[in-house]
Amino acid sequence: MGLPTRDEETLIVNEDEVNDIIQRWRNTPEEKLKPEDYQQFKNFGSVCLTEGDGAQLLKFLQDEENRDIVKSMGCVLMTPLVKEVVKKGKSLDHCQASITHLTMTCSPDELMHSLLELIENTDPGDISETILTLLPHLQTVLLSLDDRKAARLGCALSALQQQLSRLPVPYSRQQEEEDEYGLCRCYNALADFTKPFVEEVKRNNGSSVTTSEDEELRTELLKFCMRSLREPLLEAELNRDRKSSLWLFATEIMFTLPAIQESLSELLLFSPLKRSLQTDSSESKESRACLAYLLFVQLITIDSFPAVFSPVFVLQCNMEYINQLLSSKKESHVLKGLALYEKSLENVQDNSLPVSLQDLKSFYSAPQNLRQVLTDCPMQNLRETGLQVLQLFIDKLDSESKHKFFRCMLKTSHHAGVESYIVKNIRNQLEFSMKQGSANKWFLGEELLPLLGLVLSLPQGAETDLLNNMDKIMESLNLLRYLLIRDKDLRSTIVWEELCRIKDEYLKMLRVCISISRGYYAAELKALRQDQKIKAREARGAARSCRLVKSITVKNEKTSNMSPEVQHQVLQSALVTFDLMESLIFRIEEITDEKQKTQS
Amino acid sequence: MADEPTREWSEEQLKNDDLPKKDVIKFIQDNAAHSFLNEHKLLGNIKNVAKTAKKEQLIVAYNQLFESKRFKGTEPVEDVTEQVRSVKLEDKPKDLPAEVIDEGPPKFTKSVLKKGDKTNFPKKGENVSCWYTGSLVDGTVFDTNIPTTARKKKQTKPLSFKVGLGRVIRGWDEGILTMSKGETSRLEIEPEWAYGRKGLPDSKIPPNAKLIFEIELVAVD
């Protein structure tokens, strides 16, 4: 028999007493065993392991005479055994063998209970090692369950994923290769873990009768896939050119879904239409967004996706996911959202999206979210990609749609950079329409003037901050100049007097604004220079008299954090900007006069 | 075809200064074909046209209109198509906007391989289910939902969707509406009603590809 003895608070002193206890246990039916017995048994086991005597423990467990003890109380040893394996203690192999023995001897219910408890109470530092150790045994136990297998599998997967979500997801190639926290290894092990259950579902598909247990199994596996899509896949950098660990995991998930009879077209295109608002949580949307990304952008299993859907319909369905991703503040999300947006737009014919689509909420929100990325996102690469996607979006709209979109952006973006980009696009549309020849009422007809009204306006009238709005104003002046040069093509299609009226009002207001601004900045500059003179004089005085002089300066409110040299530069460049604007206005007036002369 | 308009003014009346240019322009705009107006630069806002066109020109145009008889409604089909295409549609169904009416001929052909019940024809918005195989003109199969074995077919579901709502390529929407339950047909779809100039490269459909689908309409809602 022989378990080593040791001075412990359990009051065991010598080998004989231990043997007595064991003998007593052998003769005690399970229902008569008390909690103290379980505790003592656990202590015996722990002591063995801390002494490095895993072999002894294994021998005890495998002893036929102890079979009943093991059956009743064996599960309490699970925790110390697994901890020993994770620690990579001395008797690793024996411990593994012990665990295996337990999984074959103890009741599956109790085993499940112990294993789940273990998972849920793992120390953060041991998460991946614990899970990697447990998974094969967990699989064995689950497969041996007679009933409620699906529910138990669900609990297990949920607990496992819960723990794994505490680990940081590697983002760069180097991080993934290092896999410092073991996350990648775990997820791939998890995918293997689920395989026999997936196979079971596949087998059940063939039979004509499906039980509720079969349905439940499918459901739990689906939940697992959806959770995985959200975490870790949505956070990971997945690139088909680099088939990393997490890429392989993504592929596993993508293959599991059809295996459990979940059609991707149903999940992505149709269920959102059927689903009620309650079940469509943002978590579920995130999962499907990742799914859409993996399918359409990374092309995983695209060859089995039906090639019959209209690109506009697919775009419309993807808009929801694009919105979800673009409204996130995480780089990994936004990047995927932009890629999905771009891909979905690419398949649509140029100039084809009708204006009615913009009435759909998701369709309206996506460019707004995009604009947010352009104006607020701190990452330059995302802003650059965002701009490309914006242009692509504009290119796909038909004329009326473009018109409406430009109006909308001019009214809602409140950002000079974005506005100037829109004005540039308007000019391009004009140029394009004129080349076309045939009348396009949106850019070469009666609808042009309302649009121009929005372009040729100052948001705060004469008090508009010209520097803040510089981009838009310069672009609008360029457009104006262009219109005047091409007057021949325009006069027959629009009310020219109306355009001239808008132009005159705008330029008048702009002139006033410039003179006010110029006055202000010139005064600031003068004050700055005087300030500098005083300081210089004082400094010379201080140098002469070797005394510390406190200089009294009136701080410029606007530029208080900048050095005087920089302040000077800022003010000077403001004045130069105003000069630029004025020279452009002057040129416009020149052209107007020239045209008037040739007309009469 | 509308009745031919009649001359409102005589030569003398036209030349009279009392007759404003605007009235003549309005008459011509109301009654002449689009192409006629375009050629004579009489399109657009009347005030504007009045500024750029001289009275003599208008009289000439007026007379030419009656000589050539190029009134509204006499244009060749393509022009009509162009005008109809630019009409804005009012109806907005809940999920997708209606397709613009294109008055050209249908861009697909159908040959029935197996007759259906000829009674249950799907209506727009109804759910349909089908097995299909899609191939290119050269015979390459780019897509199918028919599993390889009969056993697997029991396990797989046919493709289901609501027909006639622009969720699938136009050739399918239009084609399936002509099929009855149980029918198997071969649809040859021109690129304009399939994936057009872009194709669908990720699904191995090249640009400007004509697609051939063999479709079995299994169920109609």
Side-chain angles (χ1 to χ4, degrees):
Chain A
M1 295 182 231
L3 285 173
T5 56
R6 204 177 165 187
D7 267 319
E8 291 270 315
E9 44 277 41
T10 48
L11 304 171
I12 304 300
V13 203
N14 58 47
E15 187 169 332
D16 285 331
E17 284 202 28
V18 171
N19 289 339
D20 284 342
I21 290 168
I22 291 171
Q23 193 57 46
R24 179 168 61 78
W25 282 341
R26 280 179 184 168
N27 298 326
T28 314
E30 189 177 334
E31 55 271 19
K32 289 260 171 67
L33 289 167
K34 299 197 203 88
E36 300 88 69
D37 293 313
Y38 285 86
Q39 189 57 49
Q40 213 156 59
F41 187 54
K42 185 173 180 181
N43 290 341
F44 284 169
S46 302
V47 165
C48 269
L49 295 172
T50 47
E51 306 263 288
D53 218 345
Q56 274 284 25
L57 182 55
L58 178 61
K59 195 166 160 205
F60 177 88
L61 294 174
Q62 286 176 329
D63 191 340
E64 262 308 303
E65 294 189 33
N66 295 327
R67 190 173 179 81
D68 288 334
I69 300 177
V70 175
K71 212 162 165 202
S72 322
M73 299 199 285
C75 286
V76 302
L77 295 177
M78 199 55 91
T79 301
L81 279 167
V82 172
K83 284 209 155 94
E84 193 64 23
V85 173
V86 169
K87 254 189 348 202
K88 298 209 195 315
K90 281 177 246 169
S91 25
L92 202 61
D93 291 334
H94 293 120
C95 290
Q96 282 282 24
S98 294
I99 298 174
T100 309
H101 182 84
L102 288 175
T103 59
M104 294 193 298
T105 315
C106 304
S107 97
D109 283 334
E110 281 185 40
L111 281 166
M112 274 309 298
H113 182 82
S114 312
L115 291 170
L116 274 177
E117 231 181 43
L118 245 173
I119 296 169
E120 283 161 11
N121 296 324
T122 316
D123 287 328
D126 295 329
I127 289 176
S128 59
E129 283 308 320
T130 306
I131 289 179
L132 287 169
T133 307
L134 277 179
L135 278 178
H137 302 292
L138 193 54
Q139 190 184 70
T140 309
V141 175
L142 279 165
L143 287 171
S144 71
L145 285 173
D146 282 325
D147 73 332
R148 296 191 59 237
K149 175 162 56 185
R152 249 80 79 84
L153 174 66
C155 284
L157 287 171
S158 176
L160 289 161
Q161 285 184 292
Q162 177 97 324
Q163 285 293 40
L164 285 173
S165 68
R166 295 165 76 183
L167 300 174
V169 180
Y171 199 64
S172 68
R173 181 193 203 132
Q174 191 187 7
Q175 282 182 356
E176 248 186 85
E177 280 169 16
E178 279 171 10
D179 199 15
E180 190 183 337
Y181 300 97
L183 180 135
C184 300
R185 271 178 299 145
C186 277
Y187 275 112
N188 279 299
L190 201 54
D192 282 336
F193 168 79
T194 59
K195 280 204 169 86
F197 305 104
V198 176
E199 287 303 312
E200 187 171 331
V201 172
K202 269 164 97 168
R203 279 196 304 273
N204 291 338
N205 285 340
S207 66
S208 45
V209 181
T210 44
T211 63
S212 66
E213 175 74 14
D214 298 332
E215 255 319 294
E216 209 178 337
L217 192 58
R218 252 195 76 236
T219 307
E220 292 301 334
L221 287 168
L222 176 61
K223 277 197 226 165
F224 163 69
C225 290
M226 296 306 269
R227 276 194 299 257
S228 303
L229 285 165
R230 237 191 109 232
E231 276 189 85
L233 293 174
L234 193 53
E235 311 298 325
E237 191 206 344
L238 299 162
N239 193 329
R240 62 196 330 258
D241 299 326
R242 178 173 75 84
K243 307 268 165 83
S244 65
S245 216
L246 287 176
W247 169 277
L248 293 171
F249 179 63
T251 312
E252 287 289 343
I253 299 294
M254 296 297 279
F255 277 114
T256 302
L257 286 167
I260 58 170
Q261 293 283 74
E262 281 297 326
S263 115
L264 295 189
S265 49
E266 278 290 316
L267 269 174
L268 289 174
L269 307 179
F270 298 119
S271 27
L273 293 170
K274 293 185 213 147
R275 208 168 286 221
S276 73
L277 286 157
Q278 288 168 303
T279 56
D280 207 11
S281 64
S282 75
E283 284 183 2
S284 154
K285 257 195 237 175
E286 281 185 332
S287 302
R288 280 179 287 127
C290 186
L291 185 62
Y293 172 79
L294 290 174
L295 177 67
F296 294 116
V297 179
Q298 295 300 336
L299 307 178
I300 307 179
T301 71
I302 188 77
D303 43 3
S304 35
F305 191 74
V308 302
F309 297 114
S310 90
V312 176
F313 177 60
V314 174
L315 172 65
Q316 193 194 331
C317 295
N318 281 339
M319 275 309 196
E320 264 209 73
Y321 312 128
I322 292 165
N323 274 323
Q324 181 67 40
L325 295 170
L326 289 183
S327 5
S328 164
K329 299 277 180 279
K330 294 186 187 171
E331 182 183 353
S332 57
H333 293 202
V334 176
L335 218 124
K336 293 184 174 74
L338 289 173
L340 184 60
Y341 206 170
E342 191 169 33
K343 200 60 202 274
S344 309
L345 285 171
E346 273 170 6
N347 284 333
V348 173
Q349 307 264 40
D350 286 354
N351 288 306
S352 65
L353 296 176
V355 71
S356 44
L357 275 174
Q358 289 192 52
D359 290 335
L360 298 170
K361 183 162 183 247
S362 58
F363 233 92
Y364 170 80
S365 308
Q368 292 295 335
N369 281 321
L370 189 55
R371 177 185 51 77
Q372 200 93 34
V373 171
L374 290 176
T375 57
D376 295 345
C377 179
M379 285 156 267
Q380 190 182 351
N381 61 326
L382 292 180
R383 291 199 306 271
E384 281 173 6
T385 311
L387 196 57
Q388 281 174 8
V389 176
L390 179 64
Q391 189 57 59
L392 188 62
F393 175 72
I394 292 173
D395 293 341
K396 301 297 174 180
L397 302 173
D398 72 9
S399 295
E400 185 181 354
S401 227
K402 281 185 171 92
H403 191 272
K404 182 165 183 178
F405 181 68
F406 294 157
R407 273 183 4 251
C408 178
M409 290 299 264
L410 287 172
K411 281 189 197 162
T412 63
S413 59
H414 304 301
H415 186 274
V418 174
E419 287 165 354
S420 76
Y421 195 76
I422 297 294
V423 175
K424 235 188 290 214
N425 261 285
I426 293 174
R427 183 207 148 120
N428 290 341
Q429 280 310 303
L430 270 168
E431 200 173 333
F432 182 74
S433 303
M434 286 194 241
K435 270 198 214 132
Q436 287 268 282
S438 62
N440 166 355
K441 80 166 180 173
W442 298 102
F443 291 99
L444 265 191
E446 61 216 39
E447 300 293 340
L448 177 61
L449 288 171
L451 189 58
L452 287 180
L454 288 171
V455 176
L456 303 173
S457 65
L458 294 172
Q460 284 89 35
E463 283 160 34
T464 304
D465 185 333
L466 288 177
L467 296 182
N468 247 359
N469 289 288
M470 183 177 85
D471 287 343
K472 189 210 173 186
I473 294 173
M474 293 305 280
E475 209 57 59
S476 71
L477 290 174
N478 272 324
L479 176 62
L480 202 44
R481 183 176 53 174
Y482 180 75
L483 287 169
L484 290 170
I485 293 172
R486 301 296 301 264
D487 69 326
K488 279 204 207 69
D489 296 298
L490 291 167
R491 277 182 199 265
S492 56
T493 59
I494 64 170
V495 184
W496 192 254
E497 294 85 42
E498 185 61 24
L499 172 63
C500 291
R501 189 188 61 77
I502 298 174
K503 164 183 80 82
D504 292 337
E505 266 182 42
Y506 180 57
L507 293 180
K508 188 165 87 177
M509 177 87 72
L510 195 50
R511 283 209 144 100
V512 171
C513 201
I514 291 175
S515 80
I516 294 175
S517 301
R518 183 178 270 135
Y520 173 77
Y521 279 91
E524 288 290 308
L525 196 58
K526 190 168 172 192
L528 182 67
R529 286 191 181 130
Q530 288 190 327
D531 203 47
Q532 288 299 91
K533 279 202 193 127
I534 293 170
K535 273 203 182 124
R537 224 180 293 140
E538 281 173 349
R540 285 198 295 276
R544 259 185 262 128
S545 60
C546 299
R547 266 183 295 128
L548 272 168
V549 177
K550 251 201 174 148
S551 51
I552 306 156
T553 47
V554 179
K555 281 206 179 268
N556 181 336
E557 220 180 46
K558 252 190 157 169
T559 55
S560 52
N561 289 328
M562 295 186 234
S563 71
E565 292 77 31
V566 178
Q567 283 181 46
H568 197 267
Q569 266 184 343
V570 167
L571 294 171
Q572 279 282 54
S573 73
L575 291 174
V576 167
T577 306
F578 302 142
D579 286 342
L580 249 163
M581 281 185 200
E582 266 195 342
S583 71
L584 201 41
I585 296 175
F586 182 70
R587 177 77 192 116
I588 288 169
E589 307 274 272
E590 255 187 356
I591 300 173
T592 312
D593 289 338
E594 280 169 30
K595 295 287 172 177
Q596 268 179 351
K597 287 200 194 112
T598 57
Q599 279 289 312
S600 54
Chain B
M1 262 234 291
D3 285 338
E4 256 183 35
T6 51
R7 295 182 77 101
E8 207 158 296
W9 304 289
S10 65
E11 274 292 309
E12 257 177 324
Q13 282 173 314
L14 282 170
K15 287 196 190 139
N16 198 327
D17 277 354
D18 283 346
L19 178 63
K21 283 199 278 183
K22 285 186 205 165
D23 288 357
V24 186
I25 297 171
K26 181 158 187 350
F27 179 92
I28 303 178
Q29 280 191 343
D30 284 346
N31 292 296
H34 188 267
S35 50
F36 182 93
L37 293 172
N38 205 8
E39 280 164 27
H40 290 261
K41 297 210 189 313
L42 295 170
L43 277 174
N45 191 292
I46 295 182
K47 260 199 262 173
N48 224 25
V49 176
K51 282 200 189 296
T52 54
K54 300 218 174 81
K55 189 76 173 291
E56 295 81 49
Q57 284 170 263
L58 293 175
I59 298 173
V60 166
Y62 185 83
N63 286 327
Q64 271 195 350
L65 176 62
F66 283 98
E67 266 170 38
S68 65
K69 297 200 198 305
R70 286 170 66 186
F71 303 113
K72 272 202 200 326
T74 61
E75 289 151 311
V77 184
E78 298 92 58
D79 288 2
V80 175
T81 313
E82 184 53 47
Q83 281 175 67
V84 173
R85 199 173 281 160
S86 60
V87 167
K88 198 163 76 155
L89 287 153
E90 272 92 34
D91 259 333
K92 285 180 213 158
K94 239 185 282 177
D95 44 331
L96 252 198
E99 284 295 311
V100 175
I101 306 163
D102 192 340
E103 302 246 341
K107 297 219 186 289
F108 75 96
T109 54
K110 183 179 93 166
S111 36
V112 181
L113 302 173
K114 188 182 90 174
K115 293 189 200 159
D117 66 1
K118 294 204 185 162
T119 329
N120 288 298
F121 287 90
K123 293 193 217 39
K124 232 169 114 162
E126 279 189 321
N127 221 60
V128 296
S129 304
C130 36
W131 298 112
Y132 68 91
T133 301
S135 38
L136 304 173
V137 178
D138 67 5
T140 322
V141 173
F142 59 83
D143 187 20
T144 179
N145 70 342
I146 303 174
T148 43
T149 63
R151 185 182 68 109
K152 275 198 191 160
K153 195 161 178 177
K154 263 199 239 161
Q155 300 172 359
T156 322
K157 284 185 281 193
L159 181 72
S160 274
F161 64 97
K162 289 201 164 86
V163 70
L165 297 179
R167 296 184 183 183
V168 291
I169 52 176
R170 191 152 174 202
W172 266 55
D173 259 347
E174 305 273 355
I176 289 180
L177 287 173
T178 69
M179 293 171 68
S180 64
K181 184 170 164 183
E183 179 178 327
T184 301
S185 283
R186 186 184 149 97
L187 292 179
E188 288 190 21
I189 308 174
E190 297 295 318
E192 292 89 328
W193 281 19
Y195 290 103
R197 266 173 281 141
K198 294 237 165 245
L200 203 64
D202 296 331
S203 299
K204 311 231 177 15
I205 297 175
N208 295 313
K210 177 170 171 179
L211 304 180
I212 301 161
F213 283 96
E214 199 175 290
I215 306 178
E216 180 190 344
L217 184 59
V218 176
V220 177
D221 219 340

